[in-house]
Amino acid sequence: MQKHAALLVIDVQPDFCPGGALAVPDGDAIIPLINRLAPRFETVILTQDWHPADHISFASSHPGKQPFEMIELPYGPQVLWPSHCVMGTPGAALHPELDIPHARMILRKGGNRLVDSYSAFLEADRASKTGLDGYLRSLGITDLYLCGLATDFCVAWSAEDARAFGFNATIIEDACRAIDLNGSLAAAWAKLAAAGVARISSTLPA
Ligand code: VGL
Ligand code: ZN
């Protein structure tokens, strides 16, 4: 892979895999593929969803509310999730089967109790930066390839923001899995196409 390309591996964590707190169907099935893709990239960035136990995106932080209900927060609509990826817990770790020793950076997001962060670039207030854009820019990266969990939330928001920050962005579709909540997957692909995000299959031999 070219020097100016990087692989973003989004939120491959036990809590998003079968048996986890916010399990994405078949979420762990992408791990062997990601392990085979990663050596093609000199620059690999791993992200971790990483929340305090009383995070505002958790249904448990809103008495009377159930997981997967929507609420309005100062920054806009928010899905309420089961408590997941609580900082320091085993479910929030990088998945133990990920085998990417040359990963250059591990980015944690969602640490502000009052603001969710699906995107690896910008928190849900659409104003607070994670710093990833500057990091990538300083390395001369122009092209991003994205994989991980979940296609329709953290992968989609990260890819859309990558475009907004001026990067070329390509989602490796078979190296992602979706939550698909109330049509969220189709809605995400429509937004991604409009944002100029490309969509490919890894086409790797088994
Ligand atoms: C995610 C919901 C809540 C994701 C993170 O990684 O897609 N989804 N937090
Ligand atoms: Zn989260």
Side-chain angles (χ1 to χ4, degrees), residues 5 9 15 32 58 68 73 77 88 108 118 124-125 150 159 176 197 200 204:
V9 180
D15 268 350
F58 295 172
F68 308 110
L73 289 178
R108 289 170 170 171
Y118 297 146
D125 60 9
C176 302
V197 174
I200 61 167
L204 272 181

Side-chain angles (χ1 to χ4, degrees), residues 10-11 16 22 49 51 81 84 109 116 118 149-150 153-155 179:
I10 303 289
D11 298 2
F16 295 124
L22 176 41
D49 209 40
H51 300 305
W81 302 106
H84 64 276
K109 60 183 179 60
D116 205 359
Y118 297 146
L149 305 170
F153 288 93
C154 290
V155 175
I179 295 174

